[in-house]
Amino acid sequence: MEEFDIRSAARKKAEDNSKYNDMKQHADKLIQGFQKLNDSHAKRAIWELFQNAIDLSDKAQIIIEQKSDSLVFKHNGKPFDDNTLNCLIKQVSSKSAESNDDEIGQYGTGFITTHSFGRKILLSGSLKNDNSFISLNGFEIDRTAKTSPDLILDLVKQQNAVFDLIENGAYLKDCTPFTEF
């Protein structure tokens, strides 16, 4: 094996280890957050969803539907983009030092409370891509894994699903009026 091939393989291994460790931090934070959830967090979850919806719209419209097997929360605020959706998947704030105040999720912890309702959340609406919109229909946020290694695999799969949507998702004529959880 040539030196270039050895170095290339070593670099790939180091990059993969770094990506794994980064994702492990997200998985560990999520699992720790789930362990802290109790019945009172459902009340906070509704507040968090309302607050985010209000922050995303000049005139927020919010619809809550209780179904036999789920709770549906809809709002008419700004749609996800690739950054905000990936931040939601990894449970990190979409705000950065350079960002404006319009971004949501100052601490990146509020959405974890919504998992007091269940560990699978389906998202529908639009994914903004530059000046276009991609259909976001039943995008699954799956938090059912019990261990960090299993959750890491799920997080990577969900992150890759965002990339796949950007590359292959169906474009919409207009942004859907509501984002649904």
Side-chain angles (χ1 to χ4, degrees):
M1 190 178 256
E2 292 183 36
E3 181 180 347
F4 175 78
D5 293 334
I6 293 169
R7 287 180 178 258
S8 180
R11 178 190 171 116
K12 171 112 176 68
K13 181 180 175 186
E15 287 174 348
D16 289 347
N17 286 339
S18 179
K19 289 176 187 175
Y20 181 88
N21 290 331
D22 289 345
M23 202 59 84
K24 183 175 184 332
Q25 288 183 335
H26 300 301
D28 289 346
K29 177 183 172 187
L30 283 163
I31 289 172
Q32 290 168 5
F34 298 149
Q35 291 170 345
K36 295 176 186 175
L37 288 177
N38 60 46
D39 292 341
S40 69
H41 284 93
K43 293 176 188 171
R44 179 172 172 221
I46 294 293
W47 181 88
E48 291 286 349
L49 290 170
F50 266 82
Q51 188 61 52
N52 286 348
I54 290 166
D55 289 346
L56 289 168
S57 176
D58 293 331
K59 289 188 170 188
Q61 290 180 302
I62 297 169
I63 300 168
I64 298 175
E65 299 174 23
Q66 185 173 359
K67 297 184 176 183
S68 62
D69 63 343
S70 64
L71 179 72
V72 178
F73 183 90
K74 299 178 186 180
H75 68 79
N76 67 330
K78 291 190 301 186
F80 286 103
D81 62 24
D82 64 288
N83 182 56
T84 55
L85 186 52
N86 272 315
C87 285
L88 183 68
I89 290 167
K90 294 178 183 179
Q91 195 61 44
V92 296
S93 172
S94 61
K95 286 188 176 184
S96 67
E98 303 85 39
S99 73
N100 62 38
D101 289 336
D102 291 341
E103 292 190 66
I104 303 307
Q106 183 176 1
Y107 302 109
T109 58
F111 190 70
I112 204 165
T113 62
T114 62
H115 292 83
S116 59
F117 298 123
R119 298 292 169 91
K120 281 192 180 182
I121 297 173
L122 299 178
L123 305 176
S124 293
S126 300
L127 179 68
K128 187 172 184 186
N129 184 29
D130 294 323
N131 293 323
S132 301
F133 299 96
I134 299 170
S135 177
L136 186 64
N137 188 15
F139 185 91
E140 186 176 79
I141 304 287
D142 184 352
R143 307 286 200 236
T144 56
K146 303 276 189 230
T147 66
S148 187
D150 290 338
L151 187 52
I152 290 168
L153 293 174
D154 288 344
L155 295 175
V156 169
K157 184 170 97 176
Q158 291 162 41
Q159 184 177 0
N160 287 336
V162 173
F163 302 147
D164 291 344
L165 267 175
I166 293 167
E167 187 174 10
N168 303 312
Y171 276 94
L172 302 169
K173 222 174 165 179
D174 297 305
C175 182
T176 56
F178 286 90
T179 297
E180 179 178 313
F181 296 84

